[in-house]
Amino acid sequence: MSIITVNEEKCIKCGQCIKECPVFVLKMGEKGPEEKEKSNCIACGHCVAICPNSAIDNTKTPLAQQIDSKDFPKLNAQEAEHFLRARRSIRNYKEKSVSREELTKLVDVARLAPTGSNSQGISFVVVEDKQLIEKAAELTIKLMERSPLRNVLKETIRTYREDGVDTVFRGAPNLIITIADKNFSNARGNSVSSLTYLELFAPSLGLGSCWAGFFEYCASIENSPMLKLFNIPEGKKITAAVMVGYPKYSYKRLVDRKPLEVIFR
């Protein structure tokens, strides 16, 4: 059964949909683009999105569900640079939980991120229970204390144990975890892409975020007890995590990085 249809009256046979298809599903026929016999469409939506006349439809990425990009203003170069540079890792949060509505907005944007071959395959565990986050912090420290890297992590462990500072989740009220099938080869890369989208979107909701690196390390251990703690489904693995909350402080300046190092060939 064909997944791609073309409105012959609207189609001008420009061939853009054919040229933009990453897996070469289309070919030009007498009446316009045609789907090849052996179709391996990856549902990227390029064919539908690029058509200048809205002449092509795809059951995997329906035209009716796409949004016309001309209806939204685009950032200029300076605005885009400011937007990207303004993102900070937030490690101090207000004692205020994020609403489920806002958390849902975050992960809904995260699912739109680009992934390898449009494989996607990432789902989310949104943690609202502060006590569960505290249990995860304690378990992370315990695993770090038994880790071969415990000497490298000793100051992080000491600060948690002796000073009572949450060095794992920084007191964040919420945690967002990505999970995927155990054998999914693109799991980590797709998760990083998804949570990067989430992090960039968060400030528009007045939220801040930070990668939960210590937790990620402990969750990646073979048969990690984190799987049981968060009731991760059988056959799934934890692939990444970010803490989320309302920033306690605001940053007043854009910080520079190391000087650019680039080679042109």
Side-chain angles (χ1 to χ4, degrees), residues 170-190:
R170 304 288 181 157
N174 300 100
L175 180 68
I176 296 178
I177 301 169
T178 54
I179 62 174
D181 290 341
K182 282 185 177 180
N183 298 322
F184 182 35
S185 60
N186 287 342
R188 175 63 179 175
N190 289 2

Side-chain angles (χ1 to χ4, degrees), residues 113-252:
T115 56
S117 298
N118 197 37
S119 53
Q120 302 178 60
I122 303 301
S123 52
F124 303 88
V125 176
V126 180
V127 186
E128 299 175 294
D129 186 342
K130 192 66 166 68
Q131 290 185 333
L132 183 56
I133 295 175
E134 291 170 354
K135 288 180 181 178
E138 174 64 25
L139 181 54
T140 298
I141 293 296
K142 286 182 178 179
L143 292 171
M144 288 165 61
E145 288 172 332
R146 301 199 297 265
S147 166
L149 299 175
R150 57 185 174 275
N151 288 333
V152 177
L153 301 169
K154 62 183 180 181
E155 186 58 24
T156 299
I157 297 170
R158 187 205 66 76
T159 302
Y160 179 90
R161 292 291 185 209
E162 298 179 16
D163 299 340
V165 176
D166 178 6
T167 51
V168 179
F169 298 118
R170 304 288 181 157
N174 300 100
L175 180 68
I176 296 178
I177 301 169
T178 54
I179 62 174
D181 290 341
K182 282 185 177 180
N183 298 322
F184 182 35
S185 60
N186 287 342
R188 175 63 179 175
N190 289 2
S191 298
V192 170
S193 182
S194 296
L195 291 183
T196 297
Y197 258 42
L198 182 151
E199 279 208 298
L200 291 171
F201 181 63
S204 69
L205 302 178
L207 299 171
S209 60
C210 184
W211 287 83
F214 295 137
F215 169 79
E216 286 185 346
Y217 169 74
C218 294
S220 68
I221 297 171
E222 188 71 23
N223 298 317
S224 172
M226 293 296 181
L227 299 172
K228 182 178 180 181
L229 180 65
F230 288 99
N231 196 26
I232 303 302
E234 187 73 23
K236 298 285 187 178
K237 61 183 177 181
I238 293 173
T239 54
V242 294
M243 54 196 93
V244 173
Y246 293 97
K248 191 173 184 179
Y249 311 111
S250 61
Y251 289 89
K252 307 300 189 294

Side-chain angles (χ1 to χ4, degrees), residues 29-177:
E30 292 183 4
K31 298 180 179 180
E34 296 177 351
E35 186 178 347
K36 294 180 181 178
E37 290 184 10
K38 292 184 178 180
S39 174
N40 59 334
C41 175
I42 60 173
C44 67
H46 279 6
C47 58
V48 182
I50 202 168
C51 180
N53 281 11
S54 302
I56 192 166
D57 206 349
N58 187 322
T59 57
K60 291 187 176 183
T61 55
L63 176 62
Q65 294 180 14
Q66 298 203 7
I67 299 171
D68 198 325
S69 60
K70 75 175 185 297
D71 294 335
F72 298 92
K74 290 181 173 57
L75 299 177
N76 61 40
Q78 185 177 20
E79 291 169 337
E81 180 183 349
H82 183 280
F83 165 70
L84 292 170
R85 290 184 64 183
R87 179 262 165 206
R88 306 299 304 172
S89 293
I90 303 301
R91 296 182 176 87
N92 287 280
Y93 296 91
K94 296 178 181 178
E95 294 183 6
K96 175 185 176 183
S97 292
V98 181
S99 70
R100 181 168 292 188
E101 179 184 5
E102 301 290 75
L103 291 169
T104 301
K105 288 179 182 178
L106 283 177
V107 293
D108 197 37
V109 164
R111 73 178 175 84
L112 300 173
T115 56
S117 298
N118 197 37
S119 53
Q120 302 178 60
I122 303 301
S123 52
F124 303 88
V125 176
V126 180
V127 186
E128 299 175 294
D129 186 342
K130 192 66 166 68
Q131 290 185 333
L132 183 56
I133 295 175
E134 291 170 354
K135 288 180 181 178
E138 174 64 25
L139 181 54
T140 298
I141 293 296
K142 286 182 178 179
L143 292 171
M144 288 165 61
E145 288 172 332
R146 301 199 297 265
S147 166
L149 299 175
R150 57 185 174 275
N151 288 333
V152 177
L153 301 169
K154 62 183 180 181
E155 186 58 24
T156 299
I157 297 170
R158 187 205 66 76
T159 302
Y160 179 90
R161 292 291 185 209
E162 298 179 16
D163 299 340
V165 176
D166 178 6
T167 51
V168 179
F169 298 118
R170 304 288 181 157
N174 300 100
L175 180 68
I176 296 178
I177 301 169

